[in-house]
Amino acid sequence: DSGKLRVVPFGGNFDPPPGVAEVTAAVQERPASPLRLLLVGIDWKRKGADVAVETVEALNAAGTPAHLTVVGCHPPAGHAALPESVEIIPFLGKDNAADCRRLREIFERSHFFIMPSRAEAFGIVYAEASAFGVPCLATKVGGLRSVVIENVNGRLFPLEARGAAYAAYIRELMADPLRYRELALRAAREGAERLS
């Protein structure tokens, strides 16, 4: 009986979580340029980091200045050199006060959380991004349909989508600053009310 079932999603691992006023201010203060994309994960290949790199390259090639910060993983050995628009931060531990503060600041200033995972059970980091009012760009795989809701806290792409598709969506959304801010604030509400 579906009336007897309840789904309680995981929340983020920030204690305390960001406050509504703090997130609203951060969303309002995000400058239009450069666009800041964020990926937080350990496994470069499974987290779809190459697609995220393609996305930032496509944005820059189209004349939209963009920067990608990758926290937690490196490209595999023998990987082609990364463009200057990609910054790798090997590790930030939430149990270290300075690292946690830095990670919070990175989330706050990011326009989009992009992690086009090839496989994912749930992805707590999407809940964390939502809590900071950072719309999530993800793939339609595994449990991601239960954490990223279309036009509520982000957008889901087909597994085969490449960076050009993500970049086109980002450019379209950012062409309307009000639409972007509304999505970011919906993401924040989703992070505070459901993904908490």
Side-chain angles (χ1 to χ4, degrees):
D1 179 354
S2 63
K4 295 180 180 181
L5 300 176
R6 296 291 181 271
V7 175
V8 182
F10 283 110
N13 285 331
F14 281 96
D15 187 24
V20 175
E22 164 190 2
V23 172
T24 302
V27 169
Q28 299 293 346
E29 291 169 11
R30 285 177 195 151
S33 183
L35 279 179
R36 296 195 172 275
L37 310 181
L38 173 62
L39 185 152
V40 178
I42 295 173
D43 184 334
W44 183 273
K45 184 175 180 182
R46 187 170 66 83
K47 299 300 183 178
D50 280 334
V51 176
V53 171
E54 288 176 14
T55 302
V56 79
E57 288 180 308
L59 287 166
N60 284 306
T64 301
H67 182 271
L68 170 66
T69 301
V70 178
V71 177
C73 63
H74 303 268
H79 192 279
L82 296 172
E84 288 183 15
S85 57
V86 177
E87 174 188 15
I88 302 288
I89 301 173
F91 180 78
L92 292 174
K94 291 179 189 155
D95 55 348
N96 175 295
D99 280 3
C100 189
R101 189 168 41 255
R102 184 175 180 201
L103 187 56
R104 289 178 82 100
E105 289 168 359
I106 292 169
F107 270 109
E108 287 171 358
R109 73 175 191 220
S110 296
H111 293 87
F112 292 94
F113 181 78
I114 180 169
M115 196 165 78
S117 295
R118 311 290 86 190
E120 198 74 59
F122 178 79
I124 291 173
V125 72
Y126 298 98
E128 293 173 344
S130 296
F132 282 96
V134 181
C136 301
L137 307 178
T139 45
K140 294 178 185 176
V141 298
L144 293 183
R145 293 179 188 107
S146 64
V147 65
V148 179
I149 309 298
E150 290 275 342
N151 298 315
V152 173
N153 64 332
R155 171 99 188 263
L156 292 167
F157 291 81
L159 184 60
E160 61 275 8
R162 301 305 301 183
Y166 287 81
Y169 170 75
I170 291 168
R171 284 173 51 83
E172 175 194 334
L173 186 60
M174 295 306 288
D176 185 344
L178 179 59
R179 187 174 157 218
Y180 168 77
R181 281 195 301 276
E182 287 173 347
L183 177 61
L185 294 173
R186 280 196 304 273
R189 281 193 300 275
E190 188 77 351
E193 295 171 6
R194 185 175 72 92
L195 303 170
S196 65

